[in-house]
Amino acid sequence: MKILHVITSLGPSGAERLMVDLLPKLKQLGIDVELLVYVGNGQPPEQFAALNNAGIPIHCFTKEWDIH
């Protein structure tokens, strides 16, 4: 099974912390997980390191989507 998780940031709170805690555990269970995250200032926060160390692929986008 492949799962792409999408989140607007990887800040230090709530849902963001859930991604950092949950994704490595899912990977350990044999689930193919990846993360798509918006990086507003272009600089990855420290949570990226934890996910990278766990072997979780992270895809980033930095421009806001213009949706009308």
Side-chain angles (χ1 to χ4, degrees), residues 7-51:
I7 195 160
T8 56
S9 73
L10 267 183
S13 61
E16 297 90 341
R17 188 69 217 169
L18 176 65
M19 292 294 104
V20 175
D21 293 340
L22 177 65
L23 296 185
K25 289 179 176 33
L26 292 175
K27 184 176 174 87
Q28 289 174 352
L29 292 173
I31 299 172
D32 186 4
V33 293
E34 296 186 19
L35 180 66
L36 174 63
V37 61
Y38 172 70
V39 182
N41 62 6
Q43 299 298 316
E46 60 189 49
Q47 284 85 337
F48 275 62
L51 292 172

